[in-house]
Amino acid sequence: MCKSLWFQVLGVAAGGAAFERHPMLPHHVQRLGRDCIAHWDIPRRFCWNSHLSNYIRWAGHYSWAPYPRTGVTVNWRPPNFLGSWRLPHFLGPWRPPHNWNWQPDNITQNSFFHLSHPNMESEGDEPPSKRRRRSGQHDICSPNEEISSCNLNEAACLSTLSKNKEENTANIRGMVKRHWEYFCHQSKKMKILEDKQVDQNNTEDKGKFDFTVMSYNILSQNLLEDNSHLYKHCRQPVLIWGYRFPNILREIQQLDADVLCLQEVQEDHYEMQIKPSLESLGYHCEYKMRTGKKPDGCAVCFRISKFNLISSNPVEFFRHDIPLLDRDNVGLVLLLQPRFHCKTTAAVCVANTHLLYNPRRGDIKLTQLAMLLAEIASVAHRKDGRFCPIIICGDFNSVPGSPLYSFLKEGNLNYEGLSIGKVSGQEQSPRGQRILTIPIWPPSLGISQNCVYEAQQQQEENTGGKIKEAKLENTEELVIAAEKFPSKLQHHFKLSSVYSHYSPESGIPEVTTCHSRSAVTVDYIFYSAAKDDSTAQPGVEDTFDGGLKLLGRLSLLTEQDLWTVNGLPNEHNSSDHLSLLAQFRLIEQ
Ligand code: KL2
């Protein structure tokens, strides 16, 4: 990848705030202060424990969020913000005027974000909905700095790469860019980013295989037009597909991921524009359209210089014989063989999905997820009973800390008495009290409570071998658990999330989607961590043949960041979602 592009795209949004350690802070934010390790000559003010005069109490957007919900006032004082203000529990139906006074500045082609800091001094305690109405003006962007902080959920050190000096001087007024966060256990990361060719030669010769994965809901034009009430805050021209597509393609091209997991890919646009364009950039594309009438679907595209396709496995969540499964969402599971990898049998399983939106139908969402996990278990399953490394990308229409999210990450969920409207955490006070049935889906689906195809489970139980025995014990445990706790779901994978859902600099929740009704995280990249990855869970070595080490990720933004650029989509970001991007190293066992 081109060095200059990386640095322009990943330039730092400096001006990070410092927080007092406070009992109200989430545990991981408190730990930030303790674990902060500077790698470069870092100004003290960017270390978490260097300012002790302010604290944050974050209401959070999510009813199930891991964020504390004890108050709504934020007393956060980053250098440019002098007051305090209130954060909303949700974004109200605020409607800015049609041609809202949002003036694009002088923007380079490579800039994604055009950030103006809201003037807190004059806003007092007003909610962002009011502030938004006034924030047509742009302040000067904070100076760029090299900063370091620690990501606590993964108990790993993160460093933030700033723009270099020349780019600092070329900094454009009122603009913020997403930056690259990398984990300190990879000090070679900078080199890797600076020269991908060197990276390939060095790492792959030694049996290491590094690659990047993007997850991006690109907002199908059809859904944009069907849900136009969500985009009233946008200037009309930025909503035209002819305007959006070149921006989306440019973003994909600049971020240069080796694997793309795209959601809301409209079929005609895919065939006529997206697929040909990506092929000309060196990708092979696989696509699964939704069932039913809506003409969008999921695409997984990979760089043919990096991977061979072993298999492509579409998953339809609609089942005409099961009344519960009357929705048209889909998934797509690819098995990829890394090229230039010394272990010729090595494979990586990449799954992509867009789960049902309906906040009240957690029963359907969980069943769709179980179907995806069963397909992944089938595709990633190796002869020795273990799994190849797995990456699951997608728009799960569920927020961090929700039962669905916890199930994915923890590998189990006791759903006894759980209201179906609370599964995804999208609504804080869902209407209706209907609770999940036990079991959630009927046996005719052919998927067990531990999210594998019944046939596969049976087959596994009937086979021998050392690892199989271990597995069998595990299976027996699961069967016992199923009898004892019939309301318990489990899955086989030990999954970690690339993102930890808070800004490492401020502790404020990040978002992956932002429009006039909502600003939350619903998109994720989950992966099976190698045992020496900072996020690896116990038992990972028994489950997987090797694994993935997270080297870095493209930073996300907060709701405040996004409203200073008029939310999403805007002039430069042409979806109502942000792209997620991670770099992994494939580790052999
Ligand atoms: O939340 V999304 O947007 O992941 O960005 O997924 C769904 C929603 C997508 C596919 O169904 O269309 C959007 N209110 C808000 N958004 C909706 C609605 C709705 N009623 N229906 C569909 N979407």
Side-chain angles (χ1 to χ4, degrees), residues 121 149 152 303 385 389 443 519 523:
E121 228 171 331
S149 62
L152 311 158
R303 221 169 248 304
D523 305 275

Side-chain angles (χ1 to χ4, degrees), residues 217 223 227 230 264 290 294 354 357 395 397 576-577:
N217 178 327
L223 286 169
N227 299 298
L230 304 178
E264 291 197 25
R290 283 189 208 230
K294 284 182 183 164
H354 186 185
Y357 165 75
D395 177 343
N397 273 312
D576 59 347
H577 290 247

Side-chain angles (χ1 to χ4, degrees), residues 275-429:
K275 187 175 183 225
S277 304
L278 292 178
E279 282 176 348
S280 73
L281 293 175
Y283 292 95
H284 172 92
C285 301
E286 292 288 318
Y287 180 68
K288 175 61 191 168
M289 196 168 103
R290 283 189 208 230
T291 52
K293 287 187 190 127
K294 284 182 183 164
D296 69 288
C298 294
V300 181
C301 311
F302 60 88
R303 221 169 248 304
I304 52 177
S305 60
K306 284 286 245 192
F307 295 97
N308 293 322
L309 180 64
I310 302 173
S311 70
S312 178
N313 309 273
V315 190
E316 293 184 355
F317 300 139
F318 178 87
R319 282 280 295 260
H320 64 85
D321 55 333
I322 299 178
L324 174 73
L325 293 172
D326 62 350
R327 307 303 160 105
D328 293 309
N329 308 80
V330 293
L332 182 57
V333 183
L334 264 56
L335 194 60
L336 298 176
Q337 181 186 38
R339 284 165 165 260
F340 318 117
H341 194 270
C342 63
K343 201 172 168 184
T344 51
T345 54
V348 180
C349 178
V350 178
N352 183 22
T353 194
H354 186 185
L355 297 187
L356 178 71
Y357 165 75
N358 192 332
R360 293 183 197 119
R361 295 308 302 271
D363 50 346
I364 303 178
K365 290 177 201 249
L366 279 173
T367 309
Q368 292 182 342
L369 180 60
M371 293 170 82
L372 183 74
L373 291 170
E375 184 64 21
I376 295 168
S378 166
V379 169
H381 182 254
R382 294 167 51 96
K383 284 197 184 112
D384 63 6
R386 292 184 294 175
F387 298 105
C388 72
I390 289 167
I391 295 169
I392 308 179
C393 292
D395 177 343
F396 291 80
N397 273 312
S398 302
V399 305
S402 65
L404 186 140
Y405 173 92
S406 300
F407 170 55
L408 255 172
K409 258 189 96 169
E410 308 304 324
N412 61 72
L413 175 70
N414 185 351
Y415 60 86
E416 189 177 1
L418 180 60
S419 153
I420 61 169
K422 289 196 167 166
V423 167
S424 65
Q426 287 155 294
E427 291 181 346
Q428 281 197 322
S429 311

Side-chain angles (χ1 to χ4, degrees), residues 102-277:
W102 192 82
Q103 301 286 329
D105 272 358
N106 233 354
I107 297 161
T108 64
Q109 270 220 327
N110 295 331
S111 64
F112 287 174
F113 294 96
H114 200 216
L115 180 72
S116 66
H117 294 306
N119 183 347
M120 293 304 160
E121 228 171 331
S122 61
E123 304 290 345
D125 277 342
E126 284 178 354
S129 56
K130 284 196 181 163
R131 284 191 287 116
R132 252 177 261 144
R133 235 170 287 197
R134 299 179 180 183
S135 60
Q137 76 275 24
H138 296 266
D139 294 339
I140 294 167
C141 194
S142 308
N144 291 291
E145 302 274 356
E146 285 178 342
I147 60 174
S148 172
S149 62
C150 301
N151 180 315
L152 311 158
N153 285 350
E154 295 93 345
C157 184
L158 275 180
S159 297
T160 302
L161 190 60
S162 84
K163 294 195 286 186
N164 59 29
K165 289 253 161 59
E166 305 87 78
E167 282 157 338
N168 281 352
T169 55
N171 187 29
I172 290 167
R173 193 172 165 265
M175 209 164 71
V176 69
K177 293 171 181 175
R178 296 174 65 185
H179 56 264
W180 189 259
E181 298 168 334
Y182 65 94
F183 290 82
C184 61
H185 60 72
Q186 290 304 325
S187 54
K188 285 181 186 159
K189 174 67 189 162
M190 271 184 83
K191 194 164 180 58
I192 292 166
L193 280 180
E194 281 174 22
D195 192 336
K196 200 176 183 185
Q197 204 53 50
V198 170
D199 167 34
Q200 279 188 359
N201 295 339
N202 284 352
T203 58
E204 286 163 13
D205 282 355
K206 291 175 196 153
K208 289 172 186 159
F209 183 82
D210 293 352
F211 63 103
T212 51
V213 177
M214 172 191 273
S215 182
Y216 195 9
N217 178 327
I218 61 171
L219 178 56
S220 90
Q221 195 62 22
N222 182 67
L223 286 169
L224 183 154
E225 286 163 19
D226 279 0
N227 299 298
S228 57
H229 62 287
L230 304 178
Y231 310 106
K232 291 261 167 65
H233 61 285
C234 303
R235 291 196 312 112
Q236 285 303 305
V238 309
L239 298 178
I240 298 165
W241 176 248
Y243 180 89
R244 297 199 301 122
F245 174 63
N247 269 354
I248 291 168
L249 189 64
R250 186 166 59 229
E251 183 175 351
I252 290 172
Q253 192 171 0
Q254 285 173 347
L255 293 179
D256 195 32
D258 298 312
V259 181
L260 310 172
C261 290
L262 307 177
Q263 304 88 33
E264 291 197 25
V265 180
Q266 192 169 310
E267 208 249 351
D268 54 341
H269 294 154
Y270 174 75
E271 291 298 340
M272 304 292 290
Q273 295 172 294
I274 298 170
K275 187 175 183 225
S277 304

